[in-house]
Amino acid sequence: MSQQPQTVTWSRRSSFRTTEVDVARDWLRASYGTSLRMRSPRPHSPFSYARTSVGSLSLSTPALPAEYSYATDPLGAVAVTHVVGGRMTAECKDDVTDAGPGDVLAISQPHLPYAGRVYAAELRAVTVPVALVRELAGHPAGQQPRPLRFTRFTPVSPAMAAQWKRTVDYAETSVLALPADGAPLVVDAVARLLAATLLTVFPTDAGAERVLADGRDATSETVRRAVAFIESHPEAEIGLTEMAAAAGVTPRALQYAFRRHLGTTPTAHLRRVRLALAHEELIAADPARDTVTAVAHRWGFHHQSRFAAAYRAAYGVLPRDTLAGR
């Protein structure tokens, strides 16, 4: 039975600014449901907070010139914070992590309560769904997963910390700035990019174990079922987990099947299907009303130069030439 793809709840943006510490404290408590203690900041020092969310993906940027501590229940998502200024300490079970300007850290194990103290800090915090991280790690859908665990809360190297910051910058400019009726496939693609980057940047136990059934299920029939699902849902926010569920196998088995029988990956095949549909739309489009960017976004291509390169490799011309009727 095919698993129906989910839809995204479109973007919500909120912001807040005050110089009153009591107002800031009450607002944080109401927003996060945390136990919060706050010392008074310097007189007339502004607290500011902005948050943009698309579905379960969000970026928050709090800045408060005061010292405060908090304690809260398990987040149920993966949260990564970049300390832009000031410093903070994060505590989760027996782990305590200190961070200063420029540092990047995962603030907790997603399934455990956590606490922290913030010292006049400006932060950029991103949350990513645990299920998406596990999917990108190759875990099967429909099975009770063990909790995702960080083996360390800091990046594997300074270079990887810098990579995380660049990816968040890209996500902010390419997705979180989209209008409320923007492109859901672009949001889905960038959420997957963040989840994949997280797995590269931070050491976790998220790697999936190969099982004997994966090799046995890597058949041409598995490929046929997955291809049928892709071609009937090209406009939906589907990924490896949804394709594997539709084919009735694990994500790892589906990857083996595509490599064995098609010499590619399921996600690469999905991109080719969407590229062909973007090509058809450009042929039929009106250059006075439509744009290459809008068509590319509609089919999940958020990086315009890569879209143009893939399009030219497939069709021998640039997408703007097709749109112009050349």
Side-chain angles (χ1 to χ4, degrees), residues 88-314:
M88 67 176 293
T89 299
E91 304 176 20
C92 185
K93 202 174 180 180
D94 298 327
D95 293 293
V96 178
T97 306
D98 295 310
D103 289 340
V104 173
L105 74 157
I107 64 170
S108 71
Q109 306 289 7
H111 63 290
L112 294 178
Y114 63 100
R117 186 176 294 274
V118 180
Y119 304 88
E122 179 182 354
L123 309 173
R124 294 183 80 205
V126 175
T127 59
V128 181
V130 174
L132 186 58
V133 177
R134 291 183 58 81
E135 175 189 338
L136 269 292
H139 285 266
Q143 294 185 7
Q144 183 65 34
R146 70 178 188 274
L148 170 72
R149 294 178 184 273
F150 290 94
T151 56
R152 194 175 76 206
F153 289 115
T154 53
V156 295
S157 70
M160 286 294 98
Q163 180 61 45
W164 175 258
K165 296 173 193 176
R166 287 193 295 270
T167 305
V168 172
D169 288 342
Y170 176 70
E172 184 175 16
T173 57
S174 64
V175 169
L176 299 183
L178 286 172
D181 59 349
L185 293 184
V186 173
V187 175
D188 183 62
V190 175
R192 292 174 187 280
L193 173 64
L194 282 167
T197 303
L198 188 148
L199 287 168
T200 303
V201 170
F202 292 94
T204 72
D205 66 352
E209 297 180 1
R210 179 175 179 174
V211 297
L212 292 177
D214 289 342
R216 185 180 64 241
D217 291 340
T219 64
S220 58
E221 178 61 21
T222 291
V223 172
R224 186 197 65 75
R225 290 194 299 267
V227 167
F229 177 72
I230 290 169
E231 292 179 350
S232 62
H233 298 88
E235 77 293 343
E237 300 144 51
I238 57 176
L240 184 61
T241 293
E242 290 80 10
M243 290 185 275
V249 298
T250 68
R252 188 64 59 88
L254 188 65
Q255 290 172 320
Y256 293 158
F258 267 74
R259 291 193 190 103
R260 179 180 298 172
H261 298 284
L262 297 182
T264 187
T265 66
T267 51
H269 183 79
L270 175 62
R271 285 193 297 271
R272 280 200 292 271
V273 169
R274 288 174 172 169
L275 185 66
L277 291 166
H279 174 61
E280 293 175 6
E281 187 171 335
L282 286 169
I283 291 173
D286 179 356
R289 186 177 61 231
D290 301 310
T291 67
V292 170
T293 298
V295 171
H297 278 177
R298 200 148 39 240
W299 292 107
F301 298 97
H302 51 87
H303 196 293
Q304 292 304 299
S305 62
R306 292 177 186 168
F307 171 69
Y311 189 95
R312 187 169 189 171

Side-chain angles (χ1 to χ4, degrees), residues 48-50 59-64 68 70 80-89 99-100 103 105 107 117-126:
S48 65
Y49 176 91
L59 170 65
S60 303
T61 53
L64 179 62
Y68 59 98
Y70 60 88
V80 177
T81 295
H82 166 204
V83 181
V84 179
R87 60 191 182 92
M88 67 176 293
T89 299
D103 289 340
L105 74 157
I107 64 170
R117 186 176 294 274
V118 180
Y119 304 88
E122 179 182 354
L123 309 173
R124 294 183 80 205
V126 175

